[in-house]
Amino acid sequence: MTFPRLFAVAEAAWTLPHRKDYGNFLRKLAKYLPLLDEMGIYYFNPFDPSSTPEPTAPDKDDVLKEG
C-alpha cells in the first residue's frame, strides 16, 4: 500500500513548512488517483476507504508454519 503514502511523503518533503496545507494536499491527491487507476496500481482511497481495503496479511500461525 505504497500509494498514496508516497505522495504524502513527497508533499511533506518538498513543501515549505509555511505552505503546508492538508486540504490543498487532498485536492491535489484527488487528481492523481485516476492516474493510479489507469496504471493498474492498487491503492488505498482515503475518499472512499471501502472501495479499496488494505489487503489482509497472513496469520501469524501460517507464517510460522511455512517459515
Side-chain angles (χ1 to χ4, degrees):
M1 300 303 290
T2 304
F3 294 99
R5 291 170 176 96
L6 188 57
F7 293 141
V9 169
E11 181 80 6
W14 294 334
T15 304
L16 296 173
H18 68 279
R19 300 213 45 192
K20 290 182 182 181
D21 179 345
Y22 185 65
N24 188 39
F25 167 71
L26 289 178
R27 286 188 290 281
K28 290 190 276 186
L29 177 62
K31 295 177 184 179
Y32 284 106
L33 297 184
L35 177 63
L36 295 177
D37 287 330
E38 286 179 28
M39 297 173 69
I41 296 173
Y42 190 82
Y43 60 91
F44 176 74
N45 186 338
F47 304 107
D48 185 10
S50 63
S51 70
T52 54
E54 293 201 43
T56 58
D59 292 332
K60 183 178 179 181
D61 291 337
D62 291 341
V63 173
L64 294 175
K65 285 179 190 173
E66 297 183 25

